[in-house]
Amino acid sequence: MPDPRAARLRVGDLLVATPALLDPNFARTVVLILDLDENGALGVVLNRPSDVPVREILPDWTDVSGNPDVLFQGGPVSTDSALAVGASMTHGNDPNVEPVGFRRLYDDVGIIDLDTPTEIVLPALTGLRIFAGYAGWGEDQLEEEIAEGSWFVVPSTAPDLFGTDPLGLWRRVLRRQPGELAWVSTQPADPTMN
C-alpha cells in the first residue's frame, strides 16, 4: 500500500493531522486544500467550529451558513477576516457558467464573495461554511511537513465540508480509509491513555 503521506496533493484534498502533529493550531485537524501552486498552499480547518454565531459577524449570511451556523476557525492566518466556501448547483444547462459571487475551485465547491448580495448567490448554493482565518504554507513547506509525517493526504467528500458533526470529522475521515489509517482513528488524543 502506498504511503498516504507521500500522495500527490491536489486542490480539494484533505490534510488529516497525524498523531505526531502536536502543534495546537493543527492537532487532530482536518484541512481542506483550497489553493495550491509553486508558491505554497492555502486551506481551511474543517473541524474547529467556534462559539461565534454567523449572525453576530455577518448577519446577512445567517440563513445560508449551514448547521452549525457558527464561524469556523479556519486556521491561524488572518483570523480577523472571513472566507466562505460553498457548493453550487450547475447554473442552467451550462456547467461553465458560474453563479455571481462564486469562484469554482474543484467539482462543485468554490469560494463565495461575501460582498455579493445573498439574494443573488443564495439560489445557486447547496451548502456554505464561513471561516475566520485560514491555514497557509510557503513554497515546499507543506510537502516537507507531509514527508516528515505530520499529515495524511486523503480525498474529500461533500459531507466533510458540510456535515453537522464537525468535531467528529477527524475520526470519520480516518475510519473510512483503507488499512492502517482506519486503525489510527481509534487512537486516543492523549497517547498515555492508550
Side-chain angles (χ1 to χ4, degrees):
M1 179 175 106
D3 183 347
R5 291 173 295 206
R8 185 172 176 272
L9 194 58
R10 297 178 310 268
V11 170
D13 281 346
L14 296 178
L15 298 174
V16 181
T18 70
L21 182 55
L22 302 177
D23 177 341
N25 289 308
F26 294 108
R28 291 209 168 208
T29 59
V30 177
V31 177
L32 176 65
I33 296 297
L34 300 177
D35 192 24
L36 184 65
D37 62 25
E38 65 279 353
N39 298 315
L42 179 140
V44 288
V45 175
L46 298 179
N47 60 332
R48 294 254 171 103
S50 75
D51 294 329
V52 180
V54 170
R55 73 178 169 277
E56 286 184 14
I57 307 299
L58 296 163
D60 291 347
W61 292 90
T62 299
D63 294 337
V64 295
S65 62
N67 181 17
D69 62 347
V70 297
L71 291 178
F72 279 67
Q73 298 169 1
V77 182
S78 294
T79 56
D80 58 346
S81 64
L83 174 78
V85 179
S88 170
M89 298 181 282
T90 302
H91 188 72
N93 293 327
D94 187 351
N96 298 316
V97 177
E98 302 293 348
V100 173
F102 180 84
R103 183 173 61 88
R104 190 172 311 276
L105 300 174
Y106 68 95
D107 298 335
D108 63 348
V109 175
I111 299 291
I112 309 298
D113 180 351
L114 291 170
D115 289 329
T116 305
T118 55
E119 60 272 8
I120 293 175
V121 73
L122 175 60
L125 297 180
T126 59
L128 177 80
R129 279 276 154 84
I130 301 176
F131 300 89
Y134 62 91
W137 294 266
E139 183 180 354
D140 298 326
Q141 182 184 2
L142 181 55
E143 290 80 2
E144 291 169 9
E145 290 182 16
I146 292 168
E148 72 186 14
S150 294
W151 300 102
F152 297 119
V153 178
V154 301
S156 64
T157 65
D160 298 334
L161 179 54
F162 302 116
T164 59
D165 178 25
L167 295 176
L169 185 61
W170 186 85
R171 285 189 191 281
R172 282 194 314 278
V173 168
L174 287 174
R175 193 172 299 132
R176 74 172 184 244
Q177 304 308 314
E180 280 187 39
L181 287 186
W183 176 80
V184 172
S185 74
T186 66
Q187 294 181 352
D190 180 357
T192 63
M193 301 301 291
N194 201 2

